[in-house]
Amino acid sequence: RDQDLGDTNSWQIREDAMMRNFIFFRSLYPEGKFFGQLGSEHIFQSECFTYSEMPVTRLANLMNGEDSPVAGQVCSLFYIYSNDKEDYFHYDAIDQTRDRFYSLNGEDSPFKEKNYLMTQQSVRNNKGGTCDYFQKLVVLEDIGECEKYAP
């Protein structure tokens, strides 16, 4: 976890650097479609407070910004693990008894209008829906921890 990254500036420097890298690679492949597998701290498309009380504009939010060449084209997949409980997510709101994929942004989806999955503590005053943060949800049941890399 990146809980001890320091001040807001450290978090934002990291997000901005990833955005610059994306812009560079997109300039090489302007017609390309891209997929990035990133941790949840990078995929939220609206301001929220998870591990940090610091306001950070995350990568997916930057990518959807009005100055971005891919604004409006970003789809965030949020991965959760049934045996890893984060403070900012309502785990009891979904079935975690087996691996699942949920598309939250389908036609007439209630997740577009109301937040069912992010805790009030994490979203604060945002009155939007779950899809303001992510549009797809992957539930992986009973995943074991991986070994930490130690060079």
Side-chain angles (χ1 to χ4, degrees):
R1 299 233 165 112
D2 300 319
Q3 291 159 292
D4 27 334
L5 252 179
D7 60 13
T8 304
N9 193 40
S10 299
W11 288 67
Q12 197 60 62
I13 288 170
R14 178 177 68 170
E15 300 302 308
D16 292 343
M18 288 189 290
M19 183 63 181
R20 284 191 305 276
N21 287 337
F22 172 76
I23 295 295
F24 169 75
F25 282 103
R26 186 163 187 290
S27 73
L28 298 176
Y29 306 99
E31 301 301 318
K33 305 274 187 220
F34 297 88
F35 174 84
Q37 186 167 351
L38 304 165
S40 61
E41 288 299 306
H42 308 291
I43 62 101
F44 294 129
Q45 294 181 20
S46 290
E47 182 179 81
C48 61
F49 301 86
T50 54
Y51 298 126
S52 170
E53 288 296 313
M54 300 175 255
V56 176
T57 306
R58 291 165 166 87
L59 177 62
N61 202 349
L62 291 169
M63 292 175 78
N64 254 344
E66 59 186 52
D67 295 335
S68 170
V70 294
Q73 301 174 49
V74 177
C75 178
S76 290
L77 288 83
F78 184 50
Y79 287 84
I80 66 162
Y81 309 94
S82 62
N83 57 336
D84 183 24
K85 307 297 187 207
E86 301 293 349
D87 294 339
Y88 55 84
F89 191 80
H90 289 298
Y91 286 86
D92 57 346
I94 55 167
D95 182 2
Q96 300 171 56
T97 58
R98 61 187 173 105
D99 296 348
R100 294 180 183 270
F101 174 81
Y102 294 96
S103 180
L104 305 175
N105 61 337
E107 189 174 330
D108 298 324
S109 170
F111 294 97
K112 289 180 179 179
E113 303 301 321
K114 187 172 179 188
N115 173 30
Y116 291 98
L117 300 176
M118 301 290 286
T119 63
Q120 188 59 41
Q121 175 186 354
S122 65
V123 299
R124 305 284 164 87
N125 296 321
N126 186 334
K127 303 296 184 207
T130 303
C131 290
D132 290 350
Y133 300 93
F134 53 91
Q135 296 76 44
K136 311 294 182 193
L137 177 65
V138 176
V139 177
L140 299 173
E141 188 249 337
D142 200 24
I143 299 295
E145 288 188 27
C146 64
E147 290 183 34
K148 292 185 178 181
Y149 174 72

